Amino acid sequence: MIDRAAIRLTEAITHVSDGHVSDEDYDAAAAVLTPDQISAIAWLATVMNAFNRVAITSRYPVGG
């Protein structure tokens, strides 16, 4: 349950350019995660997305 809430919130944060993190997604996370856990997920998702965008923009080869 906690894992699913974290993944759902991460997906919502990743797609925030489509609008915003919905109350439904946030409330689902807040039902099972502490405020510190929500904050950590928000920071980690933001950092991961930033690194991905830099890698994509710079054509950095990933994997292999």
Side-chain angles (χ1 to χ4, degrees), residues 2-63:
I2 291 174
D3 293 351
R4 288 184 184 181
I7 290 169
R8 179 176 176 173
L9 183 57
T10 301
E11 285 291 321
I13 293 166
T14 297
H15 295 288
V16 76
S17 63
D18 295 339
H20 65 280
V21 174
S22 70
D23 290 341
E24 187 177 294
D25 288 332
Y26 184 87
D27 292 344
V32 294
L33 300 168
T34 68
D36 285 345
Q37 289 171 321
I38 291 171
S39 179
I41 290 166
W43 277 104
L44 289 169
T46 300
V47 169
M48 287 187 311
N49 282 303
F51 286 145
N52 285 334
R53 289 169 194 254
V54 169
I56 291 165
T57 301
S58 64
R59 309 293 197 268
Y60 184 80
V62 178

